Amino acid sequence: GTELIEATVLSTHNRPQDCWLVLGCGVYDVSAYSHPGGDSLVHAWCGKDATFSFQSKHPMALVEDMVREGGTLVGRVETSLQHVEPTRQIPLAEIAAHSVAADCWS
């Protein structure tokens, strides 16, 4: 999914049966995904940016598992949605190492 997803579009996919969320740079349709800890953990983030919550519990590499188990990459997040607050200075080489859709830093 290389389509650019705007915030207004993301916010309309806000129900368990039509659930899109942001993880990193990607927008994922997780409507068919079943979370091992309970689907309500995912459904709380329908139509929103779940990156911070996800990263506080999981490595971003687990996004690939989610895709194999029913999640679908539908596009890239609109730049204005990417608002992660920096907590440390990150070397450019480290940022460059995270350049695939399932693990994208920008």
Side-chain angles (χ1 to χ4, degrees):
T2 57
E3 180 181 348
L4 187 64
I5 307 297
E6 297 178 5
T8 54
V9 173
L10 174 68
S11 68
T12 65
H13 297 274
N14 59 8
R15 298 174 307 283
Q17 64 276 18
D18 180 22
C19 182
W20 289 13
L21 52 78
V22 173
L23 293 173
C25 299
V27 176
Y28 296 86
D29 180 346
V30 294
S31 307
Y33 174 70
S34 183
H35 190 284
D39 292 340
S40 64
L41 297 171
V42 173
H43 295 158
W45 293 100
C46 295
K48 303 175 189 170
D49 186 339
T51 304
F52 181 77
S53 178
F54 186 90
Q55 287 180 319
S56 71
K57 299 166 189 70
H58 310 292
M60 285 303 284
L62 282 183
V63 172
E64 293 175 24
D65 292 342
M66 181 194 69
V67 169
R68 280 192 296 273
E69 296 170 12
T72 304
L73 177 65
V74 293
R76 291 182 53 81
V77 68
E78 176 188 52
T79 305
S80 66
L81 290 175
Q82 298 175 11
H83 58 272
V84 176
E85 295 293 324
T87 56
R88 66 181 173 94
Q89 196 75 9
I90 301 171
L92 289 177
E94 185 177 349
I95 294 169
H98 298 274
S99 60
V100 296
D103 182 24
C104 179
W105 294 8
S106 61

